[in-house]
Amino acid sequence: MTRHIRHAGFFCALLLVALLVNAARVQVVQAPEYDRNPANRRPDITRYERPRGDILVGGRPVTGSKDTREHLRYERTYADGPLYAPVTGFASQLYGTTLLENAEDGVLSGSDPMLAPFPLWNDFTRARSSGGHVVTTLDPAAQRAAFKGLAGLKGAVAAVEPATGRILALVSAPSYDPQPLSGNGTAAARAWARLTADEDRPMLNRAARQTYPPGSTFKVVTAAAALDAGVVTDLDAPTDSPDPYTLPGTRTRLKNAARGCADASLRKAFTLSCNTVFAKLGVEVGLRDMTATAHAFGFNNADLAIPFPVARSTFDTTLDRAQLALSSIGQYNTRATPLQMAMVAAAVANGGQVREPYLVERTTRPGGSVLATAGSRGVRQAMYPSTAVRLRALMREVVEEGTGRRAAIRGAKVGGKTGTAQHGLGNSGMPYAWFVSWAQGARDLTPSVAVAVVVEDAEEERRDISGGGDAAPIARAVMEAVLKSRDRAPGS
């Protein structure tokens, strides 16, 4: 009898071991396969069983979570959705995540291992921590000023702090409300269909994910290259530039919108925005040095992320001399995001140094303790400090005496550069109006903000479209908002 009991016990032990081995096989070995199975809803149910962490602007959450009491329990909500959509993106139970919601999904959803007090235990139990929060660098006043300035227009604004690279505003118009996309019902599907069919592409982040020909705003880069290379040593010396200028190796004659560009000095050419002078300067600098300077400013960098990826701004490295002349005035294949052109203005304002831009100041645990901070960002020397000083003077003259007068701010030093970029087949498209600028408050030791604005569909007649008329007032409003925020800040 004892022998039979012993055999039965041994058999039961084998069954128990088999059950444990099978459970381990299912939960460990085959877990990834089950997780990928479309029929398995457990990962989604687990993902949405807790409120999602928030994205904060100026210390205030601009996102939230709504308890739906359904299987996918918590649904994303947005405060001032269209205002911050180019930053937050959306978090949808049907369509996934974009922009910050995507780049910081691990923190916001609670899946980041750093949020777990006992990571190994969470891996074993497959539990998920509560979502952390993402604190942005945005200045709420600057964001609202940019959004208001672009009301009814199509375009974008990017503003950065020159000394640090902190992004103060990132606006794209037209925008959209991410809220209707959050759920998983027919309303979300209808919203998705409407937004994706919209010819104005409201879900496109034009400030960071769309490139444009920068037009005359690129002359800041060309001027920097010419000064650094020693092609120009005296800002007031004639440049021996004909008007019109025949592109090298062709019969194509380049003309100017302004008068007085023939043999103009760099100072005068910059103020009047003379195409002929800068096209000739680009050729004299040469492809190698023009490419090196553009690269130092950030062009051709495919790895820029803020933390979501930024579209690559381009300066063609395989140009003949005629193409180089056009590229040096921001045409031909030269393309830039508004964020890139804000970096160009910021480099001038920051003594020639380019700080990598960033959008996240820090991430925190649900209770508020710091999880990670932005840390130091990469820095490059785009031009000699002496060149930056001279360019700051040139940009100030554009605002004080030239085409950028509408960007002037009482009591502040403001520098800028206007641009009108041709595009489309045979330049048939409505020109883009550009303005890049920086501003320094009366009590500031260095410039506090650099801004780039592009307007795709200016309201004037084609011949009247200009960066100074259409884009400069928007830049002015953003710069004023930042300077006023600095004045109100404690200890300022």
Side-chain angles (χ1 to χ4, degrees):
M1 184 66 180
T2 303
R3 182 168 59 88
H4 292 302
I5 293 173
R6 186 166 56 249
H7 287 171
F10 182 71
F11 181 68
C12 289
L14 284 177
L15 291 177
L16 181 59
V17 170
L19 286 172
L20 291 173
V21 170
N22 187 60
R25 179 182 65 85
V26 171
Q27 294 183 20
V28 178
V29 178
Q30 292 187 315
E33 180 183 344
Y34 288 129
D35 283 344
R36 291 191 299 267
N37 193 315
N40 179 18
R41 298 196 70 200
R42 290 304 310 172
D44 287 339
I45 292 172
T46 301
R47 177 181 176 83
Y48 298 110
E49 71 181 359
R50 294 174 180 267
R52 190 170 173 83
D54 287 324
I55 297 171
L56 281 72
V57 175
R60 182 179 70 89
V62 297
T63 59
S65 297
K66 178 176 68 177
D67 190 350
T68 65
R69 304 294 182 182
E70 297 177 356
H71 282 298
L72 304 185
R73 184 169 177 178
Y74 284 95
E75 185 179 299
R76 197 56 150 166
T77 61
Y78 295 90
D80 296 316
L83 174 63
Y84 294 111
V87 174
T88 63
F90 61 76
S92 170
Q93 294 175 350
L94 275 180
Y95 302 108
T97 56
T98 59
L99 302 183
L100 268 190
E101 293 276 28
N102 177 262
E104 298 291 348
D105 184 66
V107 172
L108 294 168
S109 68
S111 62
D112 190 319
M114 292 180 66
L115 289 168
F118 305 106
L120 294 178
W121 176 254
N122 276 25
D123 288 344
F124 179 75
T125 62
R126 306 182 70 80
R128 186 183 292 260
S129 303
S130 296
H133 304 310
V134 174
V135 180
T136 70
T137 59
L138 294 179
D139 181 319
Q143 186 79 1
R144 288 187 179 279
F147 187 75
K148 182 179 179 181
L150 286 173
L153 300 174
K154 188 186 298 182
V157 176
V160 300
E161 186 176 67
T164 64
R166 297 172 69 247
I167 296 174
L168 304 176
L170 203 67
V171 171
S172 177
S175 190
Y176 72 104
D177 187 356
Q179 180 71 58
L181 298 174
S182 298
N184 56 58
T186 56
R190 286 195 300 269
W192 178 263
R194 173 177 54 80
L195 289 168
T196 53
D198 192 327
E199 293 182 355
D200 287 335
R201 303 174 71 191
M203 289 195 292
L204 171 65
N205 183 334
R206 289 173 163 83
R209 305 292 273 276
Q210 176 71 23
T211 60
Y212 303 86
S216 292
T217 59
F218 190 80
K219 291 171 183 173
V220 176
V221 177
T222 303
L227 289 167
D228 273 4
V231 171
V232 174
T233 56
D234 184 350
L235 295 181
D236 297 302
T239 54
D240 192 25
S241 304
D243 183 9
Y245 170 63
T246 302
L247 299 179
T250 75
R251 295 181 179 179
T252 302
R253 302 204 305 173
L254 185 66
K255 299 180 180 179
N256 298 292
R259 295 181 179 180
C261 289
D263 201 25
S265 66
L266 180 60
R267 186 187 305 278
K268 185 176 181 181
F270 196 88
T271 303
L272 295 178
S273 200
C274 298
N275 288 333
T276 51
V277 173
F278 282 92
K280 181 173 179 290
L281 283 177
V283 173
E284 291 176 349
V285 170
L287 179 59
R288 185 186 67 179
D289 285 348
M290 279 297 301
T291 300
T293 300
H295 181 76
F297 274 103
F299 286 80
N300 299 332
N301 179 9
D303 300 322
L304 181 61
I306 62 173
F308 54 80
V310 176
R312 183 170 69 102
S313 298
T314 57
F315 185 83
D316 200 332
T317 60
T318 59
L319 303 169
D320 62 30
R321 297 177 73 212
Q323 293 165 345
L324 176 59
L326 292 175
S327 296
S328 299
I329 60 172
Q331 297 289 168
Y332 192 60
N333 285 343
T334 305
R335 307 277 297 188
T337 63
L339 181 59
Q340 171 62 62
M341 294 313 297
M343 291 167 60
V344 169
V348 175
N350 194 39
Q353 288 189 335
V354 178
R355 287 281 183 180
E356 291 287 323
Y358 65 99
L359 188 54
V360 175
E361 194 77 75
R362 62 185 179 276
T363 55
T364 69
R365 294 182 175 84
S369 60
V370 174
L371 189 66
T373 58
S376 60
R377 306 291 291 185
V379 60
R380 297 185 303 276
Q381 194 71 37
M383 67 193 102
Y384 294 132
S386 58
T387 296
V389 170
R390 300 168 92 179
L391 276 177
R392 280 201 299 273
L394 293 179
M395 292 181 75
R396 287 193 65 183
E397 289 181 25
V398 169
V399 173
E400 294 170 3
E401 303 173 15
T403 54
R405 288 185 178 91
R406 296 186 69 183
I409 300 172
R410 185 184 299 274
K413 297 177 182 177
V414 179
K417 182 69 189 79
T418 57
T420 305
Q422 306 293 335
H423 67 101
L425 185 63
N427 292 333
S428 59
M430 191 68 75
Y432 299 141
W434 275 94
F435 192 72
V436 299
S437 58
W438 52 264
Q440 179 177 340
R443 294 188 294 173
D444 295 331
L445 297 177
T446 58
S448 303
V449 58
V451 180
V453 178
V454 63
V455 178
E456 294 185 27
D457 54 352
E459 297 174 344
E460 288 82 3
E461 295 291 332
R462 180 186 177 94
R463 65 179 180 275
D464 297 325
I465 293 174
S466 69
D470 300 291
I474 301 173
R476 179 183 189 272
V478 175
M479 292 186 293
E480 276 189 314
V482 173
L483 294 181
K484 288 179 180 177
S485 295
R486 294 289 191 273
D487 288 340
R488 290 192 298 265
S492 63

